[in-house]
Amino acid sequence: MTRPDGVPALTNVTIDGERLWGTLMETAKIGGTAKGGIRRLTMSEEDKRVRDWFKAACEAAGCTVTVDTIGNMFARREGKNPDLPPICMGSHLDTQPTGGKFDGILGVLAGLEAIRSLDAIGYQTNAPIEVINWTNEEGARFTPAMMASGAFAGVFTEEYILSRTDREGTTFADAMDAIGYRGDTPLGGRKLGAMFELHIEQGPILEAEDRMIGVVTGVQSIRWFELTITGAAAHAGATPMPARRDALVGAARAIEAVEAVALAHAPDGVGTVGILECRPGSTNVVPGEVFLTIDLRHPLDEVVARMEEDLRARLAEIQGRLEFGLERIWVSPAVHFDPVLIGHVREAAERLGFRHRDIASGAGHDAVYTARICPTTMVFVPCKEGISHNEAEESTFEQCAAGTQVLLNAVLAYDATLEG
């Protein structure tokens, strides 16, 4: 159905905000922490429990749930035309070690709520609808981040994913088998019609501007590195200062170099050292080896490339008698989302009367990889003080409901342009 001006008319399907909020709070208990956050690392026992919950909830809503060979979950609601590729919603259910209740989770449960709302009035879309739970978006246990959506899009091989190990040496394959979520659906190899991902902003802009909806136009460029600094372990009391090759001192200088690179490319450039491991880790031993991770980001690919060049040059200047081994382990180029889907999100926000703005994502998302294989866009809602990857992460009932309603309206507007 279209309006006289040719713009698809929106079907009047209203989501149930109370039901959505209830699912958010119910699943937050799975891996819940004392500080109100969630610890639900991918392929952990907590991940199994939330996956079991999601599968049961989707099947109760009439969906068929399949799992592929690296654990991605697809809950399918059939449409009028089974030959059309599915319109997809979703995100991820895994969290950081001290994560919050909304990062990724909102996107998956909003998709479930959309299906429940369609069921409530018996509305059948033209295309099938699928809600996806992508595996290991966070990259907190297995690196790189977003690796399962990346594998679905053909960026990583299945063999590469299965062989990844966590810090304890457990392979991804073994962890997946341990919780029983190695599915039998082949990885990738099928078409998605479109992908819509709802997410908290994970930044302060929407809240600061008192806007309910972020119309996401793309995602900035990201590069990850691992740096191993090798010196010489020695006795802390018997080794004179001039004779030391202290790897931790080198690491301190390297961390300062990361900050200097980011500041040199401010305000949009950012740099982070997120993991620091000191060996052998004894009070009276001069550290002989340090391992650390580096995350560089900027909206432009060419600037991130210059940031890497700058970092390598600075590290070469400071290494002295230490050995610096810098390895680039992941590159995620800048992404520009589909203008048609962006338009549907923007129009949905306008029709619903929500203050909104166009915004680029500073964080990576599974939508980065689906954008390579199908039309993709995202919807942002605010989070308190921009805090995320933190147990204090918070988004309100109203914000979650607003984002879910915009998501559903945008999906239905796109679906109305397809042949039933």
Side-chain angles (χ1 to χ4, degrees):
M1 183 172 65
T2 58
R3 300 184 334 213
D5 58 7
V7 177
L10 293 179
T11 303
N12 185 25
V13 184
T14 303
I15 65 104
D16 185 332
E18 294 283 355
R19 183 170 55 198
L20 170 67
W21 191 256
T23 62
L24 286 164
M25 296 304 106
E26 181 179 354
T27 56
K29 297 176 184 177
I30 303 174
T33 66
K35 294 182 179 180
I38 302 175
R39 178 184 175 87
R40 199 159 63 210
L41 300 181
T42 195
M43 297 304 168
S44 64
E45 180 58 30
E46 293 79 16
D47 191 25
K48 170 180 169 51
R49 288 167 55 201
V50 79
R51 284 167 171 269
D52 290 347
W53 182 97
F54 176 64
K55 181 176 185 291
C58 291
E59 289 176 342
C63 296
T64 301
V65 180
T66 57
V67 183
D68 72 16
T69 51
I70 59 172
N72 293 319
M73 302 178 69
F74 305 86
R76 183 181 180 94
R77 182 182 192 265
E78 294 298 341
K80 296 176 184 176
N81 186 348
D83 294 328
L84 287 173
I87 303 173
C88 301
M89 296 173 279
S91 193
H92 60 96
L93 293 172
D94 67 312
T95 75
Q96 291 287 329
T98 51
K101 296 189 287 286
F102 303 92
D103 174 6
I105 302 154
L106 174 60
V108 177
L109 299 187
L112 172 61
E113 174 54 35
I115 284 177
R116 287 172 165 175
S117 298
L118 293 172
D119 288 347
I121 64 168
Y123 183 84
Q124 189 175 23
T125 52
N126 292 318
I129 299 292
E130 289 190 356
V131 182
I132 304 176
N133 171 35
W134 297 109
T135 298
N136 192 52
E137 191 275 349
E138 292 290 7
R141 183 178 181 189
F142 300 95
T143 60
M146 301 131 57
M147 68 184 192
S149 55
F152 185 91
V155 176
F156 308 117
T157 66
E158 183 172 347
E159 292 72 24
Y160 173 79
I161 299 300
L162 296 176
S163 67
R164 302 303 292 163
T165 58
D166 62 15
R167 302 302 294 169
E168 283 70 48
T170 303
T171 68
F172 181 88
D174 287 345
M176 182 169 56
D177 289 339
I179 69 166
Y181 267 91
R182 188 197 293 250
D184 54 13
T185 299
L187 173 63
R190 64 189 184 90
K191 186 176 181 181
L192 305 184
M195 180 72 196
F196 292 81
E197 183 173 357
L198 172 63
H199 210 281
I200 58 171
E201 181 194 349
Q202 300 182 285
I205 296 173
L206 295 179
E207 183 183 56
E209 297 184 359
D210 191 27
R211 298 181 190 266
M212 183 67 84
I213 299 294
V215 181
V216 188
T217 58
V219 179
Q220 68 180 342
S221 182
I222 308 170
R223 294 192 183 192
W224 279 9
F225 305 85
E226 292 179 345
L227 174 61
T228 301
I229 301 173
T230 306
H235 196 288
T239 308
M241 298 302 290
R244 297 186 180 200
R245 297 175 58 217
D246 190 328
L248 187 57
V249 172
R253 292 171 180 155
I255 294 169
E256 286 186 331
V258 172
E259 182 181 41
V261 167
L263 290 173
H265 295 84
D268 294 327
V270 293
T272 304
V273 173
I275 296 175
L276 183 69
E277 297 177 352
C278 184
R279 306 179 182 115
S282 177
T283 300
N284 61 345
V285 178
V286 175
E289 182 179 278
V290 172
F291 169 87
L292 56 89
T293 60
I294 300 170
D295 178 318
L296 299 179
R297 306 189 188 207
H298 191 278
L300 301 177
D301 291 325
E302 57 269 27
V303 177
V304 174
R306 290 200 297 270
M307 291 172 72
E308 178 180 345
E309 292 175 2
D310 188 3
L311 176 64
R312 291 185 182 276
R314 291 174 188 267
L315 293 180
E317 291 177 359
I318 65 176
Q319 71 179 61
R321 295 190 301 136
L322 302 171
E323 296 177 12
F324 279 30
L326 182 67
E327 180 184 2
R328 186 197 313 129
I329 63 168
W330 182 49
V331 175
S332 180
V335 174
H336 305 284
F337 288 144
D338 182 81
V340 172
L341 300 195
I342 291 171
H344 287 311
V345 171
R346 186 181 294 116
E347 183 180 11
E350 290 174 356
R351 291 196 186 195
L352 290 164
F354 295 130
R355 282 174 52 81
H356 61 88
R357 63 160 287 167
D358 287 4
I359 191 170
S361 175
H365 302 282
D366 291 307
V368 165
Y369 287 131
T370 62
R372 299 188 179 203
I373 56 174
C374 71
T376 296
T377 196
M378 295 186 71
V379 183
F380 275 176
V381 294
C383 54
K384 186 177 180 180
E385 298 176 0
I387 295 172
S388 185
H389 286 191
N390 187 307
E391 291 161 295
E393 176 183 281
E394 183 178 342
S395 190
T396 68
F397 169 94
E398 292 78 13
Q399 290 162 347
C400 293
T404 302
Q405 189 67 63
V406 168
L407 173 74
L408 177 55
N409 283 23
V411 165
L412 293 178
Y414 178 68
D415 180 69
T417 68
L418 307 176
E419 292 292 333

